PDB file of all heavy atoms in Angstrom:
ATOM      1  N   ASN A 454      20.263 -66.054 -94.082  1.00 70.00           N
ATOM      2  CA  ASN A 454      19.808 -66.581 -95.356  1.00 70.00           C
ATOM      3  C   ASN A 454      20.540 -65.991 -96.531  1.00 70.00           C
ATOM      4  O   ASN A 454      20.909 -64.808 -96.513  1.00 70.00           O
ATOM      5  CB  ASN A 454      18.365 -66.345 -95.451  1.00 70.00           C
ATOM      6  CG  ASN A 454      17.557 -67.077 -94.412  1.00 70.00           C
ATOM      7  OD1 ASN A 454      17.140 -68.285 -94.563  1.00 70.00           O
ATOM      8  ND2 ASN A 454      17.241 -66.324 -93.367  1.00 70.00           N
ATOM      9  N   VAL A 455      20.750 -66.749 -97.570  1.00 68.00           N
ATOM     10  CA  VAL A 455      21.374 -66.170 -98.735  1.00 68.00           C
ATOM     11  C   VAL A 455      20.334 -66.206 -99.915  1.00 68.00           C
ATOM     12  O   VAL A 455      19.685 -67.248-100.083  1.00 68.00           O
ATOM     13  CB  VAL A 455      22.661 -66.893 -99.160  1.00 68.00           C
ATOM     14  CG1 VAL A 455      23.717 -66.613 -98.200  1.00 68.00           C
ATOM     15  CG2 VAL A 455      22.454 -68.414 -99.204  1.00 68.00           C
ATOM     16  N   LEU A 456      20.218 -65.087-100.618  1.00 66.00           N
ATOM     17  CA  LEU A 456      19.309 -65.021-101.709  1.00 66.00           C
ATOM     18  C   LEU A 456      19.686 -65.983-102.827  1.00 66.00           C
ATOM     19  O   LEU A 456      20.771 -66.040-103.281  1.00 66.00           O
ATOM     20  CB  LEU A 456      19.226 -63.623-102.298  1.00 66.00           C
ATOM     21  CG  LEU A 456      18.583 -62.586-101.436  1.00 66.00           C
ATOM     22  CD1 LEU A 456      18.856 -61.185-101.924  1.00 66.00           C
ATOM     23  CD2 LEU A 456      17.092 -62.841-101.300  1.00 66.00           C
ATOM     24  N   GLY A 457      18.639 -66.773-103.277  1.00 58.00           N
ATOM     25  CA  GLY A 457      18.872 -67.642-104.432  1.00 58.00           C
ATOM     26  C   GLY A 457      19.561 -69.009-104.138  1.00 58.00           C
ATOM     27  O   GLY A 457      19.713 -69.814-104.981  1.00 58.00           O
ATOM     28  N   SER A 458      19.808 -69.272-102.838  1.00 58.00           N
ATOM     29  CA  SER A 458      20.390 -70.536-102.531  1.00 58.00           C
ATOM     30  C   SER A 458      19.432 -71.595-102.604  1.00 58.00           C
ATOM     31  O   SER A 458      18.189 -71.458-102.570  1.00 58.00           O
ATOM     32  CB  SER A 458      21.089 -70.464-101.120  1.00 58.00           C
ATOM     33  OG  SER A 458      20.026 -70.362-100.140  1.00 58.00           O
ATOM     34  N   ASN A 459      19.932 -72.901-102.623  1.00 56.00           N
ATOM     35  CA  ASN A 459      18.963 -73.995-102.563  1.00 56.00           C
ATOM     36  C   ASN A 459      18.195 -74.026-101.232  1.00 56.00           C
ATOM     37  O   ASN A 459      18.781 -73.957-100.189  1.00 56.00           O
ATOM     38  CB  ASN A 459      19.769 -75.333-102.677  1.00 56.00           C
ATOM     39  CG  ASN A 459      20.520 -75.467-103.978  1.00 56.00           C
ATOM     40  OD1 ASN A 459      20.093 -74.947-105.010  1.00 56.00           O
ATOM     41  ND2 ASN A 459      21.589 -76.132-103.982  1.00 56.00           N
ATOM     42  N   GLY A 460      16.881 -74.041-101.350  1.00 58.00           N
ATOM     43  CA  GLY A 460      16.053 -73.949-100.159  1.00 58.00           C
ATOM     44  C   GLY A 460      15.653 -72.535 -99.802  1.00 58.00           C
ATOM     45  O   GLY A 460      14.822 -72.320 -98.977  1.00 58.00           O
ATOM     46  N   SER A 461      16.144 -71.522-100.528  1.00 66.00           N
ATOM     47  CA  SER A 461      15.731 -70.169-100.275  1.00 66.00           C
ATOM     48  C   SER A 461      14.322 -69.955-100.749  1.00 66.00           C
ATOM     49  O   SER A 461      13.781 -70.637-101.624  1.00 66.00           O
ATOM     50  CB  SER A 461      16.661 -69.196-101.047  1.00 66.00           C
ATOM     51  OG  SER A 461      16.156 -67.926-101.052  1.00 66.00           O
ATOM     52  N   VAL A 462      13.598 -68.918-100.137  1.00 75.00           N
ATOM     53  CA  VAL A 462      12.255 -68.724-100.489  1.00 75.00           C
ATOM     54  C   VAL A 462      12.105 -68.067-101.902  1.00 75.00           C
ATOM     55  O   VAL A 462      11.106 -68.145-102.574  1.00 75.00           O
ATOM     56  CB  VAL A 462      11.582 -67.775 -99.467  1.00 75.00           C
ATOM     57  CG1 VAL A 462      11.499 -68.380 -98.121  1.00 75.00           C
ATOM     58  CG2 VAL A 462      12.289 -66.414 -99.418  1.00 75.00           C
ATOM     59  N   ILE A 463      13.209 -67.433-102.370  1.00 74.00           N
ATOM     60  CA  ILE A 463      13.148 -66.740-103.680  1.00 74.00           C
ATOM     61  C   ILE A 463      12.825 -67.639-104.813  1.00 74.00           C
ATOM     62  O   ILE A 463      11.876 -67.402-105.561  1.00 74.00           O
ATOM     63  CB  ILE A 463      14.415 -65.962-103.905  1.00 74.00           C
ATOM     64  CG1 ILE A 463      14.703 -64.990-102.794  1.00 74.00           C
ATOM     65  CG2 ILE A 463      14.288 -65.217-105.211  1.00 74.00           C
ATOM     66  CD1 ILE A 463      13.622 -63.999-102.512  1.00 74.00           C
ATOM     67  N   PRO A 464      13.569 -68.777-105.010  1.00 75.00           N
ATOM     68  CA  PRO A 464      13.152 -69.694-106.106  1.00 75.00           C
ATOM     69  C   PRO A 464      11.745 -70.244-105.917  1.00 75.00           C
ATOM     70  O   PRO A 464      11.075 -70.372-106.986  1.00 75.00           O
ATOM     71  CB  PRO A 464      14.204 -70.815-105.991  1.00 75.00           C
ATOM     72  CG  PRO A 464      15.394 -70.185-105.301  1.00 75.00           C
ATOM     73  CD  PRO A 464      14.809 -69.207-104.357  1.00 75.00           C
ATOM     74  N   LEU A 465      11.303 -70.493-104.709  1.00 81.00           N
ATOM     75  CA  LEU A 465       9.965 -71.063-104.458  1.00 81.00           C
ATOM     76  C   LEU A 465       8.928 -70.001-104.923  1.00 81.00           C
ATOM     77  O   LEU A 465       7.984 -70.269-105.603  1.00 81.00           O
ATOM     78  CB  LEU A 465       9.799 -71.354-103.012  1.00 81.00           C
ATOM     79  CG  LEU A 465       8.329 -71.715-102.551  1.00 81.00           C
ATOM     80  CD1 LEU A 465       7.906 -72.985-103.286  1.00 81.00           C
ATOM     81  CD2 LEU A 465       8.285 -71.925-101.041  1.00 81.00           C
ATOM     82  N   PHE A 466       9.122 -68.662-104.498  1.00 81.00           N
ATOM     83  CA  PHE A 466       8.230 -67.663-104.840  1.00 81.00           C
ATOM     84  C   PHE A 466       8.164 -67.521-106.390  1.00 81.00           C
ATOM     85  O   PHE A 466       7.059 -67.326-106.911  1.00 81.00           O
ATOM     86  CB  PHE A 466       8.633 -66.344-104.218  1.00 81.00           C
ATOM     87  CG  PHE A 466       8.360 -66.210-102.697  1.00 81.00           C
ATOM     88  CD1 PHE A 466       8.990 -65.176-102.006  1.00 81.00           C
ATOM     89  CD2 PHE A 466       7.567 -67.159-102.127  1.00 81.00           C
ATOM     90  CE1 PHE A 466       8.690 -65.125-100.624  1.00 81.00           C
ATOM     91  CE2 PHE A 466       7.323 -67.088-100.764  1.00 81.00           C
ATOM     92  CZ  PHE A 466       7.898 -66.068 -99.971  1.00 81.00           C
ATOM     93  N   LYS A 467       9.261 -67.506-107.039  1.00 79.00           N
ATOM     94  CA  LYS A 467       9.266 -67.343-108.479  1.00 79.00           C
ATOM     95  C   LYS A 467       8.566 -68.464-109.225  1.00 79.00           C
ATOM     96  O   LYS A 467       7.821 -68.258-110.147  1.00 79.00           O
ATOM     97  CB  LYS A 467      10.717 -67.352-108.989  1.00 79.00           C
ATOM     98  CG  LYS A 467      11.532 -66.009-108.714  1.00 79.00           C
ATOM     99  CD  LYS A 467      12.920 -66.044-109.275  1.00 79.00           C
ATOM    100  CE  LYS A 467      13.591 -64.672-109.013  1.00 79.00           C
ATOM    101  NZ  LYS A 467      15.015 -64.722-109.570  1.00 79.00           N
ATOM    102  N   LYS A 468       8.664 -69.721-108.687  1.00 84.00           N
ATOM    103  CA  LYS A 468       7.969 -70.837-109.246  1.00 84.00           C
ATOM    104  C   LYS A 468       6.463 -70.658-109.039  1.00 84.00           C
ATOM    105  O   LYS A 468       5.643 -70.874-109.937  1.00 84.00           O
ATOM    106  CB  LYS A 468       8.465 -72.109-108.615  1.00 84.00           C
ATOM    107  CG  LYS A 468       7.875 -73.375-109.240  1.00 84.00           C
ATOM    108  CD  LYS A 468       8.507 -74.614-108.576  1.00 84.00           C
ATOM    109  CE  LYS A 468       7.851 -75.899-109.219  1.00 84.00           C
ATOM    110  NZ  LYS A 468       8.412 -77.124-108.585  1.00 84.00           N
ATOM    111  N   GLN A 469       6.121 -70.202-107.812  1.00 85.00           N
ATOM    112  CA  GLN A 469       4.668 -70.023-107.568  1.00 85.00           C
ATOM    113  C   GLN A 469       4.097 -68.929-108.443  1.00 85.00           C
ATOM    114  O   GLN A 469       2.908 -69.052-108.941  1.00 85.00           O
ATOM    115  CB  GLN A 469       4.456 -69.743-106.077  1.00 85.00           C
ATOM    116  CG  GLN A 469       4.785 -70.918-105.165  1.00 85.00           C
ATOM    117  CD  GLN A 469       4.736 -70.510-103.665  1.00 85.00           C
ATOM    118  OE1 GLN A 469       4.914 -69.381-103.264  1.00 85.00           O
ATOM    119  NE2 GLN A 469       4.445 -71.546-102.858  1.00 85.00           N
ATOM    120  N   ILE A 470       4.765 -67.869-108.621  1.00 83.00           N
ATOM    121  CA  ILE A 470       4.361 -66.786-109.541  1.00 83.00           C
ATOM    122  C   ILE A 470       4.125 -67.253-110.984  1.00 83.00           C
ATOM    123  O   ILE A 470       3.138 -66.906-111.582  1.00 83.00           O
ATOM    124  CB  ILE A 470       5.253 -65.497-109.390  1.00 83.00           C
ATOM    125  CG1 ILE A 470       5.240 -64.935-107.984  1.00 83.00           C
ATOM    126  CG2 ILE A 470       4.881 -64.508-110.450  1.00 83.00           C
ATOM    127  CD1 ILE A 470       6.341 -63.905-107.744  1.00 83.00           C
ATOM    128  N   ALA A 471       5.144 -68.000-111.414  1.00 81.00           N
ATOM    129  CA  ALA A 471       5.052 -68.490-112.797  1.00 81.00           C
ATOM    130  C   ALA A 471       3.873 -69.415-112.987  1.00 81.00           C
ATOM    131  O   ALA A 471       3.287 -69.440-114.027  1.00 81.00           O
ATOM    132  CB  ALA A 471       6.351 -69.320-113.119  1.00 81.00           C
ATOM    133  N   GLN A 472       3.396 -70.110-111.906  1.00 84.00           N
ATOM    134  CA  GLN A 472       2.283 -70.978-112.026  1.00 84.00           C
ATOM    135  C   GLN A 472       0.957 -70.267-111.774  1.00 84.00           C
ATOM    136  O   GLN A 472      -0.104 -70.836-111.762  1.00 84.00           O
ATOM    137  CB  GLN A 472       2.395 -72.114-110.971  1.00 84.00           C
ATOM    138  CG  GLN A 472       3.562 -73.037-111.284  1.00 84.00           C
ATOM    139  CD  GLN A 472       3.823 -74.049-110.166  1.00 84.00           C
ATOM    140  OE1 GLN A 472       3.322 -73.958-109.033  1.00 84.00           O
ATOM    141  NE2 GLN A 472       4.590 -75.057-110.485  1.00 84.00           N
ATOM    142  N   GLY A 473       1.025 -68.883-111.553  1.00 82.00           N
ATOM    143  CA  GLY A 473      -0.156 -68.112-111.389  1.00 82.00           C
ATOM    144  C   GLY A 473      -0.588 -67.972-109.895  1.00 82.00           C
ATOM    145  O   GLY A 473      -1.724 -67.477-109.634  1.00 82.00           O
ATOM    146  N   GLY A 474       0.248 -68.407-108.995  1.00 81.00           N
ATOM    147  CA  GLY A 474      -0.089 -68.291-107.572  1.00 81.00           C
ATOM    148  C   GLY A 474      -0.836 -69.416-107.018  1.00 81.00           C
ATOM    149  O   GLY A 474      -1.150 -70.340-107.709  1.00 81.00           O
ATOM    150  N   PRO A 475      -1.164 -69.362-105.707  1.00 87.00           N
ATOM    151  CA  PRO A 475      -0.818 -68.329-104.790  1.00 87.00           C
ATOM    152  C   PRO A 475       0.651 -68.361-104.301  1.00 87.00           C
ATOM    153  O   PRO A 475       1.224 -69.427-104.449  1.00 87.00           O
ATOM    154  CB  PRO A 475      -1.809 -68.576-103.644  1.00 87.00           C
ATOM    155  CG  PRO A 475      -1.916 -70.032-103.676  1.00 87.00           C
ATOM    156  CD  PRO A 475      -1.984 -70.470-105.111  1.00 87.00           C
ATOM    157  N   VAL A 476       1.167 -67.262-103.839  1.00 87.00           N
ATOM    158  CA  VAL A 476       2.448 -67.275-103.128  1.00 87.00           C
ATOM    159  C   VAL A 476       2.197 -67.572-101.688  1.00 87.00           C
ATOM    160  O   VAL A 476       1.349 -66.902-101.035  1.00 87.00           O
ATOM    161  CB  VAL A 476       3.113 -65.916-103.330  1.00 87.00           C
ATOM    162  CG1 VAL A 476       4.403 -65.789-102.526  1.00 87.00           C
ATOM    163  CG2 VAL A 476       3.492 -65.763-104.920  1.00 87.00           C
ATOM    164  N   THR A 477       2.923 -68.506-101.139  1.00 90.00           N
ATOM    165  CA  THR A 477       2.670 -68.860 -99.735  1.00 90.00           C
ATOM    166  C   THR A 477       3.729 -68.294 -98.820  1.00 90.00           C
ATOM    167  O   THR A 477       4.933 -68.442 -99.105  1.00 90.00           O
ATOM    168  CB  THR A 477       2.699 -70.449 -99.640  1.00 90.00           C
ATOM    169  OG1 THR A 477       3.956 -70.964-100.119  1.00 90.00           O
ATOM    170  CG2 THR A 477       1.576 -71.018-100.341  1.00 90.00           C
ATOM    171  N   VAL A 478       3.347 -67.656 -97.781  1.00 87.00           N
ATOM    172  CA  VAL A 478       4.188 -67.115 -96.680  1.00 87.00           C
ATOM    173  C   VAL A 478       3.656 -67.721 -95.417  1.00 87.00           C
ATOM    174  O   VAL A 478       2.486 -67.773 -95.151  1.00 87.00           O
ATOM    175  CB  VAL A 478       4.100 -65.591 -96.690  1.00 87.00           C
ATOM    176  CG1 VAL A 478       4.975 -65.026 -95.557  1.00 87.00           C
ATOM    177  CG2 VAL A 478       4.542 -64.953 -98.015  1.00 87.00           C
ATOM    178  N   THR A 479       4.559 -68.073 -94.518  1.00 83.00           N
ATOM    179  CA  THR A 479       4.155 -68.780 -93.340  1.00 83.00           C
ATOM    180  C   THR A 479       3.493 -67.838 -92.326  1.00 83.00           C
ATOM    181  O   THR A 479       2.508 -68.236 -91.639  1.00 83.00           O
ATOM    182  CB  THR A 479       5.467 -69.428 -92.667  1.00 83.00           C
ATOM    183  OG1 THR A 479       6.373 -68.471 -92.400  1.00 83.00           O
ATOM    184  CG2 THR A 479       5.975 -70.569 -93.588  1.00 83.00           C
ATOM    185  N   HIS A 480       3.993 -66.561 -92.232  1.00 84.00           N
ATOM    186  CA  HIS A 480       3.425 -65.650 -91.224  1.00 84.00           C
ATOM    187  C   HIS A 480       3.565 -64.219 -91.678  1.00 84.00           C
ATOM    188  O   HIS A 480       4.701 -63.888 -92.295  1.00 84.00           O
ATOM    189  CB  HIS A 480       4.139 -65.898 -89.930  1.00 84.00           C
ATOM    190  CG  HIS A 480       3.468 -65.256 -88.735  1.00 84.00           C
ATOM    191  ND1 HIS A 480       3.490 -63.875 -88.501  1.00 84.00           N
ATOM    192  CD2 HIS A 480       2.615 -65.726 -87.747  1.00 84.00           C
ATOM    193  CE1 HIS A 480       2.826 -63.582 -87.400  1.00 84.00           C
ATOM    194  NE2 HIS A 480       2.250 -64.713 -86.972  1.00 84.00           N
ATOM    195  N   PRO A 481       2.639 -63.325 -91.515  1.00 83.00           N
ATOM    196  CA  PRO A 481       2.796 -61.924 -92.007  1.00 83.00           C
ATOM    197  C   PRO A 481       3.904 -61.141 -91.344  1.00 83.00           C
ATOM    198  O   PRO A 481       4.366 -60.144 -91.891  1.00 83.00           O
ATOM    199  CB  PRO A 481       1.435 -61.264 -91.723  1.00 83.00           C
ATOM    200  CG  PRO A 481       0.766 -62.148 -90.675  1.00 83.00           C
ATOM    201  CD  PRO A 481       1.332 -63.571 -90.948  1.00 83.00           C
ATOM    202  N   ASP A 482       4.306 -61.615 -90.187  1.00 81.00           N
ATOM    203  CA  ASP A 482       5.381 -60.827 -89.424  1.00 81.00           C
ATOM    204  C   ASP A 482       6.838 -61.455 -89.440  1.00 81.00           C
ATOM    205  O   ASP A 482       7.680 -60.950 -88.851  1.00 81.00           O
ATOM    206  CB  ASP A 482       4.945 -60.640 -87.996  1.00 81.00           C
ATOM    207  CG  ASP A 482       3.682 -59.862 -87.825  1.00 81.00           C
ATOM    208  OD1 ASP A 482       3.524 -58.835 -88.656  1.00 81.00           O
ATOM    209  OD2 ASP A 482       2.882 -60.184 -87.018  1.00 81.00           O
ATOM    210  N   ILE A 483       6.947 -62.549 -90.188  1.00 82.00           N
ATOM    211  CA  ILE A 483       8.233 -63.319 -90.118  1.00 82.00           C
ATOM    212  C   ILE A 483       9.216 -62.508 -90.910  1.00 82.00           C
ATOM    213  O   ILE A 483       9.005 -61.906 -91.961  1.00 82.00           O
ATOM    214  CB  ILE A 483       8.053 -64.681 -90.775  1.00 82.00           C
ATOM    215  CG1 ILE A 483       9.260 -65.513 -90.534  1.00 82.00           C
ATOM    216  CG2 ILE A 483       7.758 -64.643 -92.293  1.00 82.00           C
ATOM    217  CD1 ILE A 483       9.086 -66.962 -90.803  1.00 82.00           C
ATOM    218  N   ILE A 484      10.457 -62.377 -90.296  1.00 77.00           N
ATOM    219  CA  ILE A 484      11.506 -61.596 -90.889  1.00 77.00           C
ATOM    220  C   ILE A 484      12.819 -62.448 -90.955  1.00 77.00           C
ATOM    221  O   ILE A 484      12.960 -63.424 -90.188  1.00 77.00           O
ATOM    222  CB  ILE A 484      11.819 -60.276 -90.095  1.00 77.00           C
ATOM    223  CG1 ILE A 484      12.275 -60.634 -88.665  1.00 77.00           C
ATOM    224  CG2 ILE A 484      10.633 -59.338 -90.105  1.00 77.00           C
ATOM    225  CD1 ILE A 484      12.733 -59.459 -87.891  1.00 77.00           C
ATOM    226  N   ARG A 485      13.677 -62.081 -91.914  1.00 74.00           N
ATOM    227  CA  ARG A 485      14.945 -62.860 -92.073  1.00 74.00           C
ATOM    228  C   ARG A 485      16.015 -61.847 -92.473  1.00 74.00           C
ATOM    229  O   ARG A 485      15.730 -60.847 -93.127  1.00 74.00           O
ATOM    230  CB  ARG A 485      14.815 -63.938 -93.113  1.00 74.00           C
ATOM    231  CG  ARG A 485      13.951 -65.164 -92.635  1.00 74.00           C
ATOM    232  CD  ARG A 485      14.614 -65.904 -91.518  1.00 74.00           C
ATOM    233  NE  ARG A 485      13.820 -67.054 -91.189  1.00 74.00           N
ATOM    234  CZ  ARG A 485      12.959 -67.088 -90.164  1.00 74.00           C
ATOM    235  NH1 ARG A 485      12.715 -65.986 -89.503  1.00 74.00           N
ATOM    236  NH2 ARG A 485      12.327 -68.185 -89.893  1.00 74.00           N
ATOM    237  N   TYR A 486      17.248 -62.200 -92.215  1.00 68.00           N
ATOM    238  CA  TYR A 486      18.394 -61.477 -92.709  1.00 68.00           C
ATOM    239  C   TYR A 486      18.767 -62.090 -94.042  1.00 68.00           C
ATOM    240  O   TYR A 486      18.755 -63.298 -94.190  1.00 68.00           O
ATOM    241  CB  TYR A 486      19.561 -61.620 -91.775  1.00 68.00           C
ATOM    242  CG  TYR A 486      19.417 -60.902 -90.453  1.00 68.00           C
ATOM    243  CD1 TYR A 486      18.883 -61.575 -89.341  1.00 68.00           C
ATOM    244  CD2 TYR A 486      19.744 -59.574 -90.310  1.00 68.00           C
ATOM    245  CE1 TYR A 486      18.725 -60.971 -88.126  1.00 68.00           C
ATOM    246  CE2 TYR A 486      19.532 -58.920 -89.063  1.00 68.00           C
ATOM    247  CZ  TYR A 486      19.027 -59.574 -87.991  1.00 68.00           C
ATOM    248  OH  TYR A 486      18.902 -58.938 -86.804  1.00 68.00           O
ATOM    249  N   PHE A 487      19.177 -61.263 -95.004  1.00 70.00           N
ATOM    250  CA  PHE A 487      19.427 -61.739 -96.317  1.00 70.00           C
ATOM    251  C   PHE A 487      20.852 -61.121 -96.828  1.00 70.00           C
ATOM    252  O   PHE A 487      21.169 -60.039 -96.535  1.00 70.00           O
ATOM    253  CB  PHE A 487      18.396 -61.389 -97.303  1.00 70.00           C
ATOM    254  CG  PHE A 487      17.185 -62.306 -97.260  1.00 70.00           C
ATOM    255  CD1 PHE A 487      16.059 -61.865 -96.500  1.00 70.00           C
ATOM    256  CD2 PHE A 487      17.174 -63.575 -97.799  1.00 70.00           C
ATOM    257  CE1 PHE A 487      14.961 -62.698 -96.490  1.00 70.00           C
ATOM    258  CE2 PHE A 487      16.072 -64.307 -97.710  1.00 70.00           C
ATOM    259  CZ  PHE A 487      14.965 -63.977 -97.047  1.00 70.00           C
TER     260      PHE A 487
END
Side-chain angles (χ1 to χ4, degrees):
N454 299 273
V455 287
L456 288 171
S458 66
N459 297 330
S461 166
V462 295
I463 305 302
L465 173 62
F466 286 167
K467 287 182 176 179
K468 184 176 181 181
Q469 290 174 335
I470 292 168
Q472 293 172 346
V476 171
T477 57
V478 179
T479 57
H480 193 283
D482 297 323
I483 192 167
I484 62 173
R485 289 292 182 266
Y486 293 93
F487 282 99

